[in-house]
Amino acid sequence: MGTSLLTSYRVTWNAKGEDQSHTEVRVVDSDDMTRPGDQEQLYGLLRRTLAIRHLPTGHVVPDNIVLQDVMPICNCEPYPGENCTWAEHKGHRFYLGPAGVGGGYEAIRDRHDDSVLGVVRNTLSVEFLTLVREKYGHQ
């Protein structure tokens, strides 16, 4: 397998049948994922770790955890409380910038080395940027 990657997630959840929600940071190790990028497997892993940590004995079943929101925090500095390299940019490594070509285009740029990942029509640029951020995070 490749190098292990730790990613922090801000997870809002509640126990099945309860109205009270909780929010906390959970760290996921990519070595625990047999299908990297599979959202269902990620959610299952998060539910399992939350169930083990918070549910009483006899109720420690991943299906007893309802995920309300899962937000990746970053994967460059995986532990809560550490400074993220991209914190001054709201945690975003990739951003929209001028394309350097005719009007109507924007470039998806990498703050790491200011390289251009792609040039897209401005009508699609936000959607493309969102896909890049979801796929690559801070990798």
Side-chain angles (χ1 to χ4, degrees):
M1 250 189 188
T3 304
S4 176
L5 176 67
L6 300 175
T7 305
S8 300
Y9 294 90
R10 183 176 296 111
V11 182
T12 302
W13 63 277
N14 64 286
K16 192 176 275 186
E18 291 184 10
D19 293 331
Q20 178 69 35
S21 65
H22 312 275
T23 300
E24 65 183 82
V25 173
R26 304 299 310 157
V27 177
V28 174
D29 187 334
S30 63
D31 283 349
D32 294 336
M33 304 271 299
T34 57
R35 300 180 312 269
D38 182 338
Q39 187 174 17
E40 286 306 310
Q41 186 181 32
L42 170 66
Y43 288 178
L45 182 61
L46 289 169
R47 283 195 304 274
R48 184 175 53 126
T49 60
L50 288 165
I52 291 169
R53 181 169 181 171
H54 295 288
L55 297 181
T57 304
H59 295 276
V60 181
V61 177
D63 289 341
N64 286 337
I65 298 290
V66 177
L67 299 178
Q68 297 171 356
D69 187 44
V70 177
M71 175 68 68
I73 297 174
C74 85
N75 57 14
C76 65
E77 296 290 346
Y79 297 102
E82 290 189 22
N83 292 328
C84 171
T85 304
W86 320 107
E88 64 190 270
H89 305 287
K90 297 183 180 177
H92 294 303
R93 173 176 173 173
F94 304 102
Y95 69 101
L96 288 175
V101 295
Y105 289 90
E106 291 181 278
I108 306 299
R109 295 184 169 270
D110 184 340
R111 283 193 176 92
H112 177 70
D113 58 8
D114 207 36
S115 62
V116 174
L117 274 69
V119 176
V120 212
R121 290 199 57 82
N122 58 11
T123 54
L124 300 173
S125 58
V126 173
E127 291 175 44
F128 185 71
L129 176 63
T130 301
L131 291 172
V132 168
R133 285 178 174 166
E134 286 175 1
K135 180 167 179 151
Y136 296 108
H138 297 328
Q139 298 177 36

